[in-house]
Amino acid sequence: MISFINVDIELNRKPVFSNLNLTIQPGELVYVAGRSGSGKSTLLKSMYMDVRPKKGEIQIAGYNSRTIRKREIPLLRRKLGIVFQDFRLLEDRSVYDNLAFVLKVTGTKEKQIPEKVMQALGSVGLESAAKAMPSRLSGGEQQRVSIARALVREPLVILADEPTGNLDPDTSLETLEYLKKINAKGIIVVIGTHDYELIRHSPARTFLIREGALAEAAVRETETGYRPVPV
Ligand SMILES: Nc1ncnc2c1ncn2[C@@H]1O[C@H](COP(=O)(O)OP(=O)(O)O)[C@@H](O)[C@H]1O
Ligand SMILES: [Mg+2]
């Protein structure tokens, strides 16, 4: 479960959020929507404690922003899988080694690594790409590798910040289908996006950020295309 209780967030003394309250239940997939600069990335960063609240508290994966120690932040992040718009794969090594690296640095036993890596690649349909270098793959495939890398440590939560921002519309929907499959196994998935076609295609609880506050919204067709409107 993820909870925000009366959370204020500032960046460089500029308020970004005030008095956020939010609960995400185990097994949920939710969207965080809002225009560019509204605070989607900041909200996700606060979940992996890259940004800390000025007031209130955030509870996630058994940790609390009020009480977590600096040295515990890497332990929290092992329970979270983070996916970025720009994939952030290591270009100098194979797909397999991108995933194996994550396990090695966190002390997974050598003999458990192959099975865990291939299982994560299987979750995104990319076992056959294990030996490929990332640059030889399409954008959609690279994003699936980055999702597999997020999965390989068997996280409780996947946080995806504009995961389809660099992908064409069909590939975006395909990527979303993999995230939904992962969610169906019980992992919380939080998707920050301004791609309202995505939400329209697969509706789920949607939090719209406007002027530092969150409102639950649904995507509707309007004269200017699909838009989130408060529900
Ligand atoms: N490191 C930072 N320092 C100061 N302000 C920032 C920083 N990062 C983002 N901001 C500001 O915080 C607001 C929210 O940004 P962001 O979370 O990146 O929005 P989004 O992801 O929705 O585009 C914006 O006004 C942005 O300019
Ligand atoms: Mg952003």
Side-chain angles (χ1 to χ4, degrees):
M1 192 174 77
I2 303 173
S3 289
F4 283 60
I5 303 164
N6 301 331
V7 169
D8 285 6
I9 296 176
E10 283 187 358
L11 293 173
N12 292 340
R13 302 212 192 110
K14 183 176 140 260
V16 180
F17 290 107
S18 72
N19 202 36
L20 283 189
N21 285 282
L22 159 72
T23 300
I24 301 172
Q25 301 294 344
E28 261 198 294
L29 180 149
V30 302
Y31 297 102
V32 176
R35 59 178 57 183
S36 193
S38 62
K40 301 180 294 297
S41 296
T42 303
L43 189 69
L44 292 175
K45 281 180 187 169
S46 75
M47 292 181 188
Y48 57 92
M49 299 202 193
D50 198 23
V51 167
R52 305 286 284 277
K54 181 160 188 287
K55 271 177 49 189
E57 67 184 63
I58 300 169
Q59 300 166 357
I60 181 166
Y63 290 94
N64 184 315
S65 61
R66 272 189 188 285
T67 55
I68 192 168
R69 290 162 189 266
K70 214 170 178 182
R71 63 166 190 275
E72 292 175 319
I73 289 178
L75 303 178
L76 162 68
R77 291 187 188 158
R78 283 181 205 181
K79 297 186 176 187
L80 311 176
I82 306 173
V83 174
F84 298 99
Q85 173 171 353
D86 56 358
F87 324 139
R88 301 194 192 179
L89 300 173
L90 301 170
E91 296 293 341
D92 64 344
R93 63 196 80 188
S94 68
V95 164
Y96 180 95
D97 287 336
N98 265 271
L99 272 65
F101 178 76
V102 173
L103 294 172
K104 276 179 197 155
V105 297
T106 50
T108 304
K109 291 198 183 86
E110 199 69 42
K111 65 171 199 271
Q112 295 178 343
I113 290 178
E115 191 188 333
K116 286 181 185 286
V117 168
M118 294 313 290
Q119 200 176 346
L121 286 175
S123 307
V124 295
L126 281 179
E127 292 106 318
S128 61
K131 290 188 179 136
M133 297 301 278
S135 60
R136 301 298 297 269
L137 303 176
S138 69
E141 289 166 337
Q142 290 188 47
Q143 189 56 302
R144 280 151 61 193
V145 172
S146 101
I147 292 168
R149 180 185 54 190
L151 269 182
V152 77
R153 283 189 305 213
E154 298 164 37
L156 301 171
V157 179
I158 296 273
L159 301 174
D161 192 358
E162 307 273 9
T164 63
N166 286 5
L167 306 176
D168 63 59
D170 287 342
T171 309
S172 296
L173 293 180
E174 190 186 30
T175 305
L176 178 63
E177 289 304 321
Y178 285 107
L179 290 170
K180 283 166 61 186
K181 269 192 209 161
I182 289 161
N183 170 247
K185 293 179 193 163
I187 299 174
I188 291 178
V189 175
V190 182
I191 301 174
T193 189
H194 63 257
D195 181 355
Y196 301 133
E197 290 277 348
L198 214 61
I199 304 175
R200 176 75 183 180
H201 179 264
S202 289
R205 206 145 68 97
T206 299
F207 298 101
L208 175 63
I209 305 174
R210 266 204 315 219
E211 285 152 29
L214 286 183
E216 288 206 32
V219 169
R220 306 261 187 256
E221 194 166 5
T222 70
E223 283 169 10
T224 52
Y226 292 122
R227 292 279 173 269
V229 295
V231 289

